[in-house]
Amino acid sequence: INMPVSNNGARVDIFLRLNGLEEAVKRQTPGDFGGMKSEGYLQVNPMGKMPALITETGETIYESAVILEYVADKFAEKATVSCRAPTPELRARARLLNQVHDLYIASANATQPQFFGTQGLLYKADMSLQERAARSHELRKQMDVIEGLLVEGGPFAVGAEPTFADLAIYPTYVFITTMAPQILAWEDVFVNRPKSRAWYAHCESVPAFRASGDGIR
């Protein structure tokens, strides 16, 4: 249960596309349940956010990272691209990249009004100017942290093959590259971030990533 504009839900979409599993799940939107804050949808995801998933047995799963883990496990025998790094060290780095993105950029870690994730400075009209300024500094910092964690030469975040880190970060960087030049007057979001620039360009060249990114733009 998702909408194409959701960067968090897009990580699952990219995994399905990479593995030719687009038809393996039934796609619905929160509107099919009455809207994200409706009683019907809150029974599926009590957080009132996207994405969510209903399993074949009727169990509900929410939080994009958890859904991705479930889908990857569920279709492990059919998947040709596992999106898991080959060594414990690289898996740890991919997980760290995921955490930096999910905790410090993408999530408000709250469901109440007037709590914003850092990415919200790009589209939350009711964010105060003071918080917007602070979030702008925070976004720059976390993008620099991600730059430092990307492996040299890539071409993906931690090596030759995509991992959950790529699937999580790329959709958010689509948001940033699309909106930051207009909202924050950032002429070049990758200035002094050469690894991020090369990584993003490579992801854009992969059809499964690009198709999902086009749904966000």
Side-chain angles (χ1 to χ4, degrees), residues 30 33-46:
F33 298 82
M36 284 201 292
K37 304 305 180 183
S38 69
E39 183 176 344
Y41 187 68
L42 291 173
Q43 290 178 357
V44 177
N45 184 350

Side-chain angles (χ1 to χ4, degrees), residues 17-31:
R17 290 178 184 276
L18 282 170
N19 288 286
L21 296 169
E22 297 96 319
E23 303 303 320
V25 298
K26 178 182 178 181
R27 296 175 185 266
Q28 295 178 283
T29 72

Side-chain angles (χ1 to χ4, degrees), residues 50-108:
M50 298 183 290
L53 183 143
I54 303 174
T55 70
E56 294 173 331
T57 59
E59 181 179 356
T60 60
I61 303 174
Y62 47 92
E63 298 300 328
S64 56
V66 180
I67 294 172
L68 178 57
E69 290 275 0
Y70 171 81
V71 169
D73 287 342
K74 179 74 173 178
F75 298 107
E77 294 184 0
K78 296 181 179 179
T80 56
V81 184
S82 70
C83 293
R84 291 186 166 105
T87 69
E89 292 76 17
L90 290 176
R91 286 194 292 274
R93 181 171 289 213
R95 181 60 175 157
L96 184 55
L97 281 158
N98 249 334
Q99 286 289 91
V100 169
H101 169 269
D102 288 358
L103 293 177
Y104 300 107
I105 297 179
S107 177

Side-chain angles (χ1 to χ4, degrees), residues 110-195:
T111 61
Q112 300 304 305
Q114 303 305 312
F115 287 87
F116 304 109
T118 295
Q119 71 176 30
L121 82 124
L122 297 171
Y123 53 84
K124 292 290 188 180
D126 49 347
M127 183 182 288
S128 70
L129 290 177
Q130 182 179 6
E131 181 172 359
R132 192 176 300 278
R135 291 290 183 183
S136 178
H137 287 295
E138 181 70 10
L139 181 58
R140 289 181 186 275
K141 174 183 176 178
Q142 299 307 334
M143 290 182 72
D144 288 340
V145 171
I146 288 172
E147 170 74 13
L149 289 171
L150 296 175
V151 300
E152 290 285 351
F156 288 105
V158 300
E161 298 296 328
T163 64
F164 290 171
D166 302 280
L167 275 56
I169 298 170
Y170 167 77
T172 299
Y173 274 40
V174 172
F175 261 154
I176 295 170
T177 57
T178 302
M179 302 181 73
Q182 303 173 38
I183 305 300
L184 304 178
W186 291 6
E187 293 184 8
D188 181 0
V189 302
F190 295 121
V191 65
N192 297 324
R193 300 183 183 107
K195 289 189 292 183

